Amino acid sequence: MRRQLLAIVAFLAAMALVPHLVDSEFWRNWVMMALFYALLGQAWNILGGYGGQFSFGHAAFFGTGAYCSAILHVHYGVNPWIALPAAGMAAGLVGAFIGFLSFRYGLRGSYFALVTLAFAEVLRILANTVPITGKGVGLLIPLEPGAANMQFADRTGYFYLILAFVGLALLLTLWLEHSRFGARLVAVRENEDAARALGVDVFRTKLAAITLSGALAGLGGSYYAQLFLYLDPGIAYGPAISVEALLVPIVGGMGTLFGPLLGSFALHGVSELAKLAFGEAPGLDLALYGVLLVLMVMFMPNGLFGMGRTTLARLLGGRRDA
Amino acid sequence: MSEVKRKKSISRRAFVAAAGGAALASGMAGFPSIVRAQRGPVRVGILHPVTGPLAFSGNQARAGAMMAIETINEIGGIRSMGGAKLEPVLGDAQSKPDVGAAEVERMNEAGVSAIVGPFASGIALATTQAAAKHNIAHIVDVGVVDQVVTRGLANTFRFGPGLSKIVDTAIENLVAINDGAGKPARTVMIVHEESAFGTGMSKVLNEKLPGRGFQIIETISHANPTRDFNNIVLKIRAQRPDIVIPSNYYDEFVLFSRTMAQQKVRPKAIYAILGGAASSQRFVKEFPDAAQYIMDCNHWYDPRNPVAQELRKKVEAKGLYFTYELFLNHECVRLLAEALERAGTGDRAAVIQALASSGFANHFMPYGPTRFVNGQNQGAAPVNTQVQNREIQLIFPKEFASAKPVFPMPAA
Amino acid sequence: MVELQILLPAILNGLTTGAVYALIALGLTLIYGVLHIINFAHGSLLMLAMYAVFFLHAGLGIDPYLALPVVVPGFFALGYLLQRGVIARASHGRDENILLVTLGVSIVIENLARYFWRSDTRTIETPYSFETVDLGVAFIAVPKVVAFAGALLVTLALWWVMSRTDLGRAIRALAKERQGARLVGIDVDHIFAMSFGIGTACVAAAACLLLPSFYVSPGVGHTFVLIAFTVVVLGGMGSFAGALIGGLIIGVTESLCGLYLGESLGQIGIFLIFIAILLFRPTGLLGHRA
């Protein structure tokens, strides 16, 4: 636990130096977006990685967080900093609602995955229809630069904000790994019936996980809204976010503390690499990205973190033998 | 197109390697940012969604911009800068706002003097904002949503018309066409797609059309994609409106007008606003019967302009279609070249100033001389076209018209 | 209130559209039922098959319906190789990895299509594209009638393969009990690949029947894939008759919801049914619990 905590602190400290050391605004932005997707991945990881419940619909939480803070700000004049916790709570509530229904009826595996997908779609259609979201026209947050409005003219503020969120998610995950709740969650993942036999309240455990996961993704949504100042139903609830949220931790290593971070940086690196190779031929870079994705899964079935750990163990083990 | 790219643009590989290297070399060591080269070519960011759902439009737009750059370089580049060539820096927004904004950062590092793009309004809101941070002039090619230019960003210029202007013009022209035929039409049904432009358009129409003597029977919003249009067409058939106003993307427009033909529904006019058919030669060629007499209020070029005619021939010789994305981007690049010519430098602030005082009149759009007020070209306006015997004719306004409107639609 | 003169044609239209959904879902339900995987590549395989049909028509003048004997076996082989050569090999038999691999495959196929064939929407015009059958209450486009008949025939053919052939028995055995099937000497990898091949062949048949009344573009798969999942769940994963009935129900639901709630909001009906089925009867209408 202490070693992990140290690693988190070291990581955050290193990242905190990025705006000062990296002069290229492109790469600063790149790191920032990698952190953003890492946050979504960490949210997914709590439910999917530790709890074993695969969600295909994390956009439902992301979008709710985004719309909640934007609507509070645009229609009710609520300061974004105050809207932020509200966004997290709203997304957590959506998580609790979806979780309540699906876990109540014992949905598991692909059934659960599909039901989350369907809920995200329902929310997308609703966002397209109800006036408060601006329907298809979308919701534009007025440009009022100033830290008080959570709009940072100089992007460093955005950088530290997402870093803070990632730090929060890391600490939350660390706590999870060492708490009784986390132990119960992992027990549910490994074998639901056995966990129940041991006296774990399976339903409540999963419900807590999806609520927590949703709330974190909602913070990500609120951040996105303040960063790009525009939302429409496709951006908020479209499948792109759901896919990113699950790709990042699975590639990085499900159910591990640093897996989502590794996954996000690796995927964004791979995407950059693909652009480097074929950036000017429309589609070819994304095709290469797909190939690399398949190859990563083929050669690192336990995710990057898993592979890193195995390699490290082997190296260390080898040295000890010698 | 790919040949052009290979020859004229800096390779992305070289650029990212340079940017990355610069970041490491200068950034890590705490050096100030890269000083942009004072001599040599002027770099121009060409940013469009060339993959993802908007890829068709994005690729058309890119082709138009690249052809303009090619031509400008062939005839001697920017003369006031000693014949400096334009050098495109290509970007792909992947139909996502956050990717578009990241591409702006990339272009900033590449030292672009201006950016042209990014087709969609949702992406434009993100990219103009990102470009504003670096004081890069951003010429918006299409992005019709009004808010793209009303946010007070000094770097943002939209050459084409915004949504309000388009809908207002569409209403004026509809009234004029109807009056000219002796007012045969009174009732209207609107069929629009559910995203920004369709929804925005139907809102304005519902506010303004009743005051102009038209009764709106029903407004139908539909999803993208909609797989079957039979229900919508059945409703139209049951309620017999005089005029049907569709506003949707290409795919849905194809299905819609095909279903109208299959169900043998023939109102007095199909009057599209930013619709697919009458502004797409592909549709007219593939479904001449379904396309016949469809009117559209959309971006269009001046058909009598020789530059436009020649460009169209060149485009078609490449196996591409001469669509509004293509020629608008072509003209946006020429607008930029004219500003560069007056600025005499690729300096970003100077380019913004030159664009703000632009009087660019040598274009082939039916606009009149360019004049930007708060970033919106005041002369920009859509026109009306109509498909007549497999050709898209400009029917309104009269000073640019190549044919007379056929209204009401003759019985089949 | 909507009158009868719209209601009846709307139901008929829903049935024909639903038949197309069923066609696409048939292959998916087989793959789902046997391999227990959510095949993200299904939509892009549909797109690929539609391009095959398109180019056979544009290049060689082959009618989409006559392309069936070429495209269907071709895609069977493609599906077989895809499962055996890529998906099985890359996924190490783990669900989350299968998911990523099929996702990766779909990204590759879709973007290669963009690169090679550009992002244009393409349509074909056949002599019967605008022909309609007058049913008295409604005109139904001829291609839709053909697709309806095609869905019935494909369902029947699949049912026959599954219940009357050794291959079908092996597939069913595998779907029920993997270990047991292995013990009695069934070549599991081969049968998995056969199932994936047959599923892909079904989607190719769907492409032949769909193209005359639709369009093809690199993103066209997304238009149908979610609906296909809905149909599979509704009908019961692995059930062909279920997929057919599910497709028809979804088609009619979509049509009626569109009529009463508007085409935009009406889409919600499909997903509400989907959620309700998942919650209250996750085995679907005709499925068995796996």
Side-chain angles (χ1 to χ4, degrees):
Chain A
M1 166 127 189
R2 169 160 290 175
R3 271 222 326 258
Q4 285 173 314
L5 192 62
L6 229 69
I8 292 176
V9 171
F11 168 78
L12 292 178
M15 280 291 135
L17 290 176
V18 165
H20 301 289
L21 291 184
V22 177
D23 192 57
S24 156
E25 194 138 359
F26 170 75
W27 287 106
R28 287 208 300 259
N29 183 67
W30 185 88
V31 173
M32 196 169 91
M33 292 318 287
L35 287 173
F36 165 72
Y37 283 109
L39 174 68
L40 295 184
Q42 282 173 318
W44 189 94
N45 195 31
I46 290 175
L47 180 66
Y50 290 96
Q53 313 298 315
F54 276 44
S55 149
F56 284 4
H58 256 55
F61 315 132
F62 168 84
T64 302
Y67 268 123
C68 178
S69 72
I71 287 170
L72 282 176
H73 180 48
V74 174
H75 292 321
Y76 301 102
V78 177
N79 183 286
W81 290 107
I82 298 167
L84 177 72
M89 274 193 278
L93 274 178
V94 169
F97 176 74
I98 295 176
F100 180 82
L101 280 180
S102 29
F103 299 140
R104 176 108 220 121
Y105 290 94
L107 291 189
R108 298 187 204 180
S110 45
Y111 292 96
F112 174 72
L114 288 172
V115 92
T116 53
L117 180 73
F119 271 110
E121 275 300 297
V122 165
L123 288 171
R124 189 183 61 79
I125 294 165
L126 283 177
N128 243 323
T129 325
V130 296
I132 198 160
T133 58
K135 300 188 188 176
V137 175
L139 205 57
L140 192 69
I141 299 171
L143 197 61
E144 303 156 322
N149 295 321
M150 214 201 273
Q151 293 184 21
F152 307 97
D154 146 18
R155 308 267 279 193
T156 321
Y158 284 120
F159 189 95
Y160 286 123
L161 188 58
I162 193 67
L163 188 61
F165 286 163
V166 169
L168 175 74
L170 280 173
L171 291 175
L172 203 66
T173 312
L174 181 66
W175 165 78
L176 192 73
E177 278 199 351
H178 297 275
S179 67
R180 296 178 61 88
F181 168 63
R184 286 197 293 267
L185 192 57
V186 171
V188 167
R189 174 187 73 192
E190 294 305 323
N191 188 333
E192 230 170 80
D193 298 325
R196 194 173 288 117
L198 288 173
V200 173
D201 186 338
V202 172
F203 174 70
R204 283 185 60 172
T205 307
K206 290 201 276 190
L207 198 60
I210 195 172
T211 308
L212 202 59
S213 177
L216 265 188
L219 291 185
S222 181
Y223 176 79
Y224 184 99
Q226 288 302 314
L227 182 60
F228 294 108
L229 305 178
Y230 174 71
L231 289 177
D232 72 21
I235 293 172
Y237 289 121
I241 288 286
S242 299
V243 169
E244 287 277 355
L246 73 91
L247 262 183
V248 158
I250 299 181
V251 166
M254 287 195 304
T256 62
L257 180 57
F258 288 106
L261 267 176
L262 272 175
S264 182
F265 276 88
L267 281 171
H268 280 77
V270 163
S271 148
E272 217 49 53
L273 211 66
K275 276 186 198 168
L276 209 67
F278 299 121
E280 292 180 1
L284 213 51
D285 60 326
L286 288 173
L288 179 62
Y289 173 84
V291 171
L292 292 173
L293 178 64
V294 172
L295 289 178
M296 282 203 283
V297 175
M298 191 183 286
F299 293 109
M300 295 178 282
N302 295 319
L304 285 168
F305 193 78
M307 194 198 65
R309 206 158 40 183
T310 334
T311 322
L312 206 65
R314 203 174 296 151
L315 282 176
L316 292 176
R319 207 176 297 159
R320 216 170 292 152
D321 285 343
Chain B
M1 196 174 89
S2 59
E3 225 172 283
V4 181
K5 271 184 321 210
R6 225 168 284 142
K7 259 191 292 178
K8 302 278 159 58
S9 67
I10 57 159
S11 105
R12 186 188 286 259
R13 194 184 318 229
F15 149 58
V16 174
L24 286 173
S26 73
M28 299 301 182
F31 278 79
S33 38
I34 329 148
V35 180
R36 234 176 306 126
Q38 291 303 305
R39 299 197 169 276
V42 182
R43 289 186 178 170
V44 181
I46 305 296
L47 174 56
H48 295 103
V50 294
T51 55
L54 302 171
F56 171 68
S57 292
N59 280 297
Q60 287 290 110
R62 182 187 270 190
M66 294 303 286
M67 288 175 80
I69 291 176
E70 195 184 358
T71 315
I72 289 163
N73 287 343
E74 266 168 22
I75 58 173
I78 308 297
R79 285 196 189 80
S80 68
M81 297 172 69
K85 300 269 191 278
L86 296 183
E87 186 178 89
V89 177
L90 298 178
D92 176 12
Q94 293 180 8
S95 309
K96 295 176 193 161
D98 55 325
V99 178
E103 290 290 274
V104 171
E105 296 298 339
R106 185 197 298 282
M107 291 176 170
N108 173 49
E109 309 262 298
V112 297
S113 294
I115 291 174
V116 175
F119 178 67
S121 299
I123 305 174
L125 289 166
T127 56
T128 50
Q129 200 178 307
K133 208 170 42 150
H134 302 295
N135 206 28
I136 305 173
H138 191 317
I139 299 179
V140 176
D141 52 352
V142 181
V144 292
V145 168
D146 290 330
Q147 283 85 348
V148 169
V149 290
T150 56
R151 294 197 293 170
L153 294 175
N155 69 320
T156 304
F157 301 91
R158 186 167 59 198
F159 183 57
L163 194 68
S164 306
K165 175 77 183 172
I166 293 170
V167 182
D168 286 349
T169 312
I171 293 173
E172 290 308 319
N173 292 356
L174 178 63
V175 170
I177 290 169
N178 192 36
D179 288 355
K183 301 197 184 190
R186 217 178 55 77
T187 55
V188 171
M189 266 175 90
I190 302 167
V191 177
H192 70 89
E193 63 86 39
E194 65 183 5
S195 86
F197 80 86
T199 312
M201 182 217 66
S202 92
K203 196 167 152 245
V204 184
L205 281 181
N206 272 288
E207 283 162 12
K208 294 190 177 166
L209 264 188
R212 304 302 299 265
F214 288 98
Q215 182 205 343
I216 297 177
I217 302 177
E218 194 176 351
T219 301
I220 303 174
S221 152
H222 66 78
N224 300 311
T226 289
R227 290 164 289 263
D228 181 61
F229 274 91
N230 275 294
N231 270 347
I232 292 176
V233 173
L234 285 169
K235 280 187 185 170
I236 293 174
R237 188 164 68 185
Q239 308 192 59
R240 302 182 169 282
D242 296 326
I243 295 175
V244 175
I245 302 185
S247 182
N248 24 34
Y249 289 106
Y250 185 90
D251 294 353
E252 279 71 32
F253 201 104
V254 168
L255 294 182
F256 172 66
S257 47
R258 190 151 67 175
T259 310
M260 289 284 278
Q262 278 166 347
Q263 297 287 350
K264 302 175 177 56
V265 176
R266 277 179 82 86
K268 291 197 174 85
I270 298 178
Y271 186 88
I273 302 179
L274 296 180
S279 46
S280 163
Q281 255 102 13
R282 172 184 281 275
F283 177 75
V284 175
K285 199 179 115 196
E286 288 175 354
F287 298 102
D289 297 334
Q292 177 75 324
Y293 299 129
I294 290 181
M295 290 190 263
D296 190 16
C297 184
N298 211 326
H299 311 283
W300 203 246
Y301 63 98
D302 177 356
R304 300 157 316 166
N305 187 300
V307 178
Q309 289 166 355
E310 198 185 315
L311 180 66
R312 180 172 169 181
K313 277 197 206 105
K314 228 165 95 181
V315 167
E316 285 170 357
K318 285 180 181 236
L320 294 173
Y321 287 92
F322 197 51
T323 63
Y324 72 93
E325 300 95 336
L326 194 151
F327 56 71
L328 264 177
N329 271 276
H330 188 275
E331 293 307 274
C332 284
V333 169
R334 286 180 67 208
L335 164 75
L336 174 64
E338 194 270 347
L340 284 167
E341 198 67 74
R342 279 183 295 110
T345 164
D347 177 74
R348 287 171 181 173
V351 174
I352 288 179
Q353 202 155 31
L355 277 170
S357 61
S358 178
F360 180 47
N362 192 20
H363 54 72
F364 60 61
M365 299 300 290
Y367 289 175
T370 307
R371 189 169 66 86
F372 285 110
V373 174
N374 297 326
Q376 174 59 47
N377 179 12
Q378 298 301 300
V383 297
N384 277 60
T385 59
Q386 184 172 37
V387 181
Q388 297 180 2
N389 307 317
R390 300 182 177 232
E391 199 32 69
I392 297 169
Q393 302 287 359
L394 203 165
I395 53 166
F396 225 85
K398 286 207 175 68
E399 60 264 41
F400 299 106
S402 57
K404 284 202 161 60
V406 177
F407 173 78
M409 244 196 269
Chain C
M1 209 50 209
V2 183
E3 305 118 52
L4 215 59
Q5 55 160 332
I6 294 188
L7 192 62
L8 276 176
I11 292 173
L12 283 171
N13 273 316
L15 286 174
T16 54
T17 316
V20 172
Y21 297 163
L23 262 173
I24 298 165
L26 280 169
L28 197 62
T29 203
L30 174 65
I31 293 169
Y32 210 134
V34 180
L35 286 84
H36 304 300
I37 59 171
I38 295 185
N39 178 19
F40 268 134
H42 201 68
S44 44
L45 287 169
L46 172 71
M47 177 270 291
L48 203 60
M50 287 172 84
Y51 268 106
V53 179
F54 174 83
F55 285 117
L56 283 173
H57 181 267
L60 303 171
I62 296 175
D63 184 273
Y65 299 142
L66 299 180
L68 272 162
V70 185
V71 180
V72 170
F75 272 75
F76 169 77
L78 177 73
Y80 186 94
L81 293 174
L82 195 63
Q83 163 65 21
R84 197 121 205 210
V86 180
I87 298 176
R89 200 167 290 188
S91 60
H92 309 276
R94 289 160 60 151
D95 284 352
E96 72 269 21
N97 288 350
I98 293 177
L99 194 88
L100 289 203
V101 172
T102 57
L103 188 67
V105 167
S106 76
I107 293 175
V108 173
I109 296 178
E110 184 182 330
N111 287 288
L112 283 182
R114 282 197 199 290
Y115 178 68
F116 286 112
W117 304 319
R118 296 209 298 248
S119 297
D120 307 25
T121 295
R122 296 165 195 258
T123 44
I124 57 173
E125 195 168 2
T126 54
Y128 44 81
S129 281
F130 287 90
E131 293 294 316
T132 48
V133 181
D134 189 353
L135 292 181
V137 285
F139 298 107
I140 306 287
V142 166
K144 295 207 154 184
V145 178
V146 176
F148 190 84
L152 294 179
L153 284 176
V154 173
T155 313
L156 218 61
L158 276 175
W159 173 81
W160 181 81
V161 168
M162 293 300 276
S163 59
R164 293 284 183 274
T165 65
D166 285 344
L167 173 66
R169 277 185 276 274
I171 290 176
R172 278 186 298 147
L174 205 54
K176 278 226 170 67
E177 182 51 63
R178 256 176 229 199
Q179 283 309 325
R182 208 185 292 271
L183 286 176
V184 298
I186 292 175
D187 180 350
V188 173
D189 293 340
H190 172 68
I191 297 299
F192 271 172
M194 288 298 279
S195 312
F196 205 94
I198 295 174
T200 312
C202 288
V203 99
C208 296
L209 295 166
L210 181 58
L211 195 59
S213 62
F214 214 69
Y215 55 82
V216 57
S217 67
V220 76
H222 300 289
T223 312
F224 290 100
V225 78
L226 214 50
I227 289 281
F229 275 120
T230 317
V231 170
V232 168
V233 169
L234 181 60
M237 305 195 187
S239 162
F240 302 123
L244 183 66
I245 296 169
L248 298 180
I249 291 177
I250 291 290
V252 173
T253 307
E254 184 183 29
S255 188
L256 294 184
C257 285
L259 214 54
Y260 289 106
L261 300 176
E263 294 294 324
S264 216
L265 184 59
Q267 292 287 316
I268 213 169
I270 299 171
F271 294 103
L272 290 181
I273 286 204
F274 185 57
I275 292 170
I277 288 282
L278 274 170
L279 294 181
F280 300 115
R281 197 183 157 80
T283 53
L285 296 174
L286 299 176
H288 316 278
R289 187 123 220 175

Short mmCIF file of all heavy atoms in Angstrom, two decimals, chain C residues 6 26 30 34 43 55 67 71 76 86 94 112 118 120 127 145 151 154 159 183 192 223 230 247 260 270 285:
data_model
loop_
_atom_site.label_atom_id
_atom_site.label_comp_id
_atom_site.label_asym_id
_atom_site.label_seq_id
_atom_site.Cartn_x
_atom_site.Cartn_y
_atom_site.Cartn_z
N ILE C 6 -53.41 5.22 -42.54
CA ILE C 6 -51.97 5.29 -42.31
C ILE C 6 -51.52 4.10 -41.46
O ILE C 6 -50.47 3.52 -41.69
CB ILE C 6 -51.59 6.60 -41.59
CG1 ILE C 6 -51.85 7.77 -42.51
CG2 ILE C 6 -50.14 6.58 -41.16
CD1 ILE C 6 -51.34 9.08 -42.00
N LEU C 26 -29.88 -12.61 -37.97
CA LEU C 26 -29.75 -14.08 -38.01
C LEU C 26 -28.30 -14.52 -37.82
O LEU C 26 -28.01 -15.41 -37.02
CB LEU C 26 -30.30 -14.61 -39.34
CG LEU C 26 -31.82 -14.73 -39.42
CD1 LEU C 26 -32.27 -15.00 -40.85
CD2 LEU C 26 -32.32 -15.82 -38.50
N LEU C 30 -26.58 -16.44 -34.37
CA LEU C 30 -25.84 -17.71 -34.45
C LEU C 30 -24.49 -17.57 -33.75
O LEU C 30 -24.10 -18.38 -32.90
CB LEU C 30 -25.64 -18.11 -35.91
CG LEU C 30 -24.76 -19.33 -36.14
CD1 LEU C 30 -25.41 -20.57 -35.56
CD2 LEU C 30 -24.48 -19.54 -37.62
N VAL C 34 -23.53 -19.47 -30.21
CA VAL C 34 -22.52 -20.52 -30.16
C VAL C 34 -21.26 -20.04 -29.45
O VAL C 34 -20.75 -20.70 -28.55
CB VAL C 34 -22.16 -20.99 -31.59
CG1 VAL C 34 -21.10 -22.07 -31.53
CG2 VAL C 34 -23.39 -21.48 -32.30
N GLY C 43 -21.36 -5.32 -38.01
CA GLY C 43 -21.77 -4.20 -38.85
C GLY C 43 -20.79 -3.94 -39.98
O GLY C 43 -21.20 -3.68 -41.12
N PHE C 55 -20.01 -3.48 -56.10
CA PHE C 55 -19.00 -3.53 -57.16
C PHE C 55 -19.33 -4.62 -58.19
O PHE C 55 -19.03 -4.45 -59.38
CB PHE C 55 -17.61 -3.73 -56.57
CG PHE C 55 -17.07 -2.48 -55.95
CD1 PHE C 55 -16.78 -2.41 -54.60
CD2 PHE C 55 -16.89 -1.33 -56.72
CE1 PHE C 55 -16.31 -1.24 -54.03
CE2 PHE C 55 -16.41 -0.15 -56.16
CZ PHE C 55 -16.13 -0.11 -54.80
N ALA C 67 -26.19 -11.98 -57.36
CA ALA C 67 -24.88 -12.00 -56.73
C ALA C 67 -24.84 -12.93 -55.53
O ALA C 67 -23.77 -13.30 -55.04
CB ALA C 67 -24.48 -10.59 -56.30
N VAL C 71 -21.48 -14.01 -53.47
CA VAL C 71 -21.13 -13.27 -52.25
C VAL C 71 -21.26 -14.16 -51.01
O VAL C 71 -20.42 -14.12 -50.11
CB VAL C 71 -22.02 -12.02 -52.13
CG1 VAL C 71 -21.69 -11.24 -50.87
CG2 VAL C 71 -21.84 -11.13 -53.35
N PHE C 76 -18.74 -16.61 -46.41
CA PHE C 76 -18.59 -17.75 -45.51
C PHE C 76 -17.10 -18.02 -45.28
O PHE C 76 -16.64 -18.16 -44.15
CB PHE C 76 -19.28 -18.99 -46.09
CG PHE C 76 -18.93 -20.24 -45.34
CD1 PHE C 76 -19.53 -20.51 -44.12
CD2 PHE C 76 -17.97 -21.12 -45.83
CE1 PHE C 76 -19.18 -21.64 -43.40
CE2 PHE C 76 -17.63 -22.25 -45.13
CZ PHE C 76 -18.23 -22.52 -43.91
N VAL C 86 -7.78 -14.93 -36.94
CA VAL C 86 -7.55 -13.69 -36.18
C VAL C 86 -8.19 -13.74 -34.79
O VAL C 86 -7.51 -13.64 -33.77
CB VAL C 86 -8.09 -12.46 -36.96
CG1 VAL C 86 -7.85 -11.19 -36.16
CG2 VAL C 86 -7.43 -12.37 -38.33
N ARG C 94 -10.62 -15.29 -24.14
CA ARG C 94 -11.17 -14.49 -23.05
C ARG C 94 -12.17 -13.49 -23.58
O ARG C 94 -11.91 -12.82 -24.57
CB ARG C 94 -10.03 -13.76 -22.31
CG ARG C 94 -9.20 -14.75 -21.50
CD ARG C 94 -7.85 -14.18 -21.18
NE ARG C 94 -7.98 -12.94 -20.41
CZ ARG C 94 -7.05 -12.56 -19.55
NH1 ARG C 94 -6.00 -13.31 -19.35
NH2 ARG C 94 -7.17 -11.44 -18.90
N LEU C 112 -10.30 0.89 -43.77
CA LEU C 112 -9.75 0.49 -45.06
C LEU C 112 -10.77 0.81 -46.15
O LEU C 112 -10.41 1.25 -47.24
CB LEU C 112 -9.41 -1.00 -45.07
CG LEU C 112 -8.11 -1.37 -44.35
CD1 LEU C 112 -7.85 -2.87 -44.47
CD2 LEU C 112 -6.92 -0.59 -44.90
N ARG C 118 -13.30 5.59 -50.67
CA ARG C 118 -13.74 6.93 -50.25
C ARG C 118 -15.03 6.84 -49.44
O ARG C 118 -15.64 5.79 -49.31
CB ARG C 118 -13.97 7.83 -51.47
CG ARG C 118 -12.68 8.09 -52.25
CD ARG C 118 -12.76 9.44 -52.93
NE ARG C 118 -13.84 9.53 -53.88
CZ ARG C 118 -13.67 9.62 -55.19
NH1 ARG C 118 -12.45 9.66 -55.69
NH2 ARG C 118 -14.70 9.72 -55.99
N ASP C 120 -17.89 8.21 -49.96
CA ASP C 120 -19.12 8.53 -50.67
C ASP C 120 -20.23 7.54 -50.34
O ASP C 120 -19.97 6.36 -50.15
CB ASP C 120 -18.91 8.47 -52.19
CG ASP C 120 -17.75 9.32 -52.63
OD1 ASP C 120 -16.85 9.57 -51.82
OD2 ASP C 120 -17.74 9.72 -53.80
N PRO C 127 -33.78 -2.17 -62.34
CA PRO C 127 -35.06 -1.93 -63.03
C PRO C 127 -36.23 -1.93 -62.05
O PRO C 127 -37.27 -1.33 -62.32
CB PRO C 127 -35.17 -3.10 -64.00
CG PRO C 127 -33.78 -3.61 -64.18
CD PRO C 127 -33.05 -3.29 -62.92
N VAL C 145 -40.35 -6.41 -50.57
CA VAL C 145 -41.10 -7.67 -50.61
C VAL C 145 -40.12 -8.83 -50.78
O VAL C 145 -40.24 -9.87 -50.11
CB VAL C 145 -42.13 -7.65 -51.76
CG1 VAL C 145 -42.87 -8.97 -51.83
CG2 VAL C 145 -43.09 -6.49 -51.57
N ALA C 151 -35.85 -13.21 -45.97
CA ALA C 151 -35.67 -13.44 -44.54
C ALA C 151 -36.30 -14.77 -44.14
O ALA C 151 -35.72 -15.55 -43.39
CB ALA C 151 -36.28 -12.29 -43.74
N VAL C 154 -34.05 -17.63 -45.55
CA VAL C 154 -32.78 -17.80 -44.83
C VAL C 154 -33.03 -18.44 -43.47
O VAL C 154 -32.29 -19.32 -43.04
CB VAL C 154 -32.04 -16.45 -44.70
CG1 VAL C 154 -30.81 -16.59 -43.82
CG2 VAL C 154 -31.64 -15.93 -46.07
N TRP C 159 -32.49 -23.10 -40.12
CA TRP C 159 -33.16 -24.08 -39.27
C TRP C 159 -32.86 -25.49 -39.77
O TRP C 159 -32.56 -26.40 -39.00
CB TRP C 159 -34.67 -23.81 -39.26
CG TRP C 159 -35.44 -24.87 -38.55
CD1 TRP C 159 -35.62 -24.99 -37.21
CD2 TRP C 159 -36.10 -25.98 -39.16
NE1 TRP C 159 -36.35 -26.10 -36.93
CE2 TRP C 159 -36.66 -26.74 -38.11
CE3 TRP C 159 -36.27 -26.41 -40.49
CZ2 TRP C 159 -37.40 -27.90 -38.35
CZ3 TRP C 159 -37.00 -27.56 -40.73
CH2 TRP C 159 -37.56 -28.29 -39.66
N LEU C 183 -15.10 -33.40 -25.43
CA LEU C 183 -14.88 -34.77 -24.98
C LEU C 183 -15.38 -35.80 -25.97
O LEU C 183 -14.78 -36.84 -26.16
CB LEU C 183 -15.54 -34.99 -23.61
CG LEU C 183 -14.81 -34.33 -22.43
CD1 LEU C 183 -15.59 -34.52 -21.14
CD2 LEU C 183 -13.40 -34.90 -22.30
N PHE C 192 -16.33 -23.68 -34.22
CA PHE C 192 -16.45 -22.25 -33.94
C PHE C 192 -16.30 -21.45 -35.23
O PHE C 192 -17.10 -20.56 -35.54
CB PHE C 192 -15.36 -21.80 -32.96
CG PHE C 192 -15.77 -21.93 -31.52
CD1 PHE C 192 -14.86 -21.72 -30.51
CD2 PHE C 192 -17.08 -22.23 -31.19
CE1 PHE C 192 -15.22 -21.83 -29.17
CE2 PHE C 192 -17.46 -22.35 -29.85
CZ PHE C 192 -16.53 -22.15 -28.85
N THR C 223 -25.54 1.79 -38.85
CA THR C 223 -26.97 2.02 -39.00
C THR C 223 -27.77 0.83 -38.49
O THR C 223 -28.91 0.98 -38.07
CB THR C 223 -27.27 2.27 -40.49
OG1 THR C 223 -26.34 3.22 -40.97
CG2 THR C 223 -28.67 2.80 -40.69
N THR C 230 -30.55 -5.66 -30.68
CA THR C 230 -31.86 -5.63 -30.05
C THR C 230 -32.68 -6.83 -30.48
O THR C 230 -33.33 -7.49 -29.66
CB THR C 230 -32.60 -4.35 -30.49
OG1 THR C 230 -31.68 -3.28 -30.45
CG2 THR C 230 -33.75 -4.06 -29.60
N GLY C 247 -37.23 -9.54 -35.17
CA GLY C 247 -37.04 -8.53 -36.21
C GLY C 247 -38.35 -7.89 -36.60
O GLY C 247 -38.47 -6.67 -36.70
N TYR C 260 -46.58 7.55 -33.64
CA TYR C 260 -47.26 8.18 -32.50
C TYR C 260 -46.37 9.14 -31.72
O TYR C 260 -46.85 10.10 -31.13
CB TYR C 260 -47.81 7.11 -31.56
CG TYR C 260 -48.99 6.39 -32.17
CD1 TYR C 260 -48.88 5.10 -32.65
CD2 TYR C 260 -50.23 7.03 -32.28
CE1 TYR C 260 -49.96 4.45 -33.23
CE2 TYR C 260 -51.31 6.40 -32.86
CZ TYR C 260 -51.18 5.10 -33.33
OH TYR C 260 -52.23 4.49 -33.90
N ILE C 270 -37.82 1.25 -29.36
CA ILE C 270 -37.00 0.07 -29.58
C ILE C 270 -36.18 -0.24 -28.33
O ILE C 270 -36.11 -1.38 -27.87
CB ILE C 270 -36.03 0.31 -30.75
CG1 ILE C 270 -36.81 0.58 -32.03
CG2 ILE C 270 -35.10 -0.86 -30.92
CD1 ILE C 270 -35.94 1.04 -33.16
N LEU C 285 -37.68 -14.13 -26.28
CA LEU C 285 -38.98 -14.75 -26.50
C LEU C 285 -38.85 -16.26 -26.66
O LEU C 285 -39.62 -17.02 -26.12
CB LEU C 285 -39.64 -14.15 -27.74
CG LEU C 285 -39.98 -12.67 -27.63
CD1 LEU C 285 -40.49 -12.14 -28.96
CD2 LEU C 285 -40.99 -12.44 -26.53
#
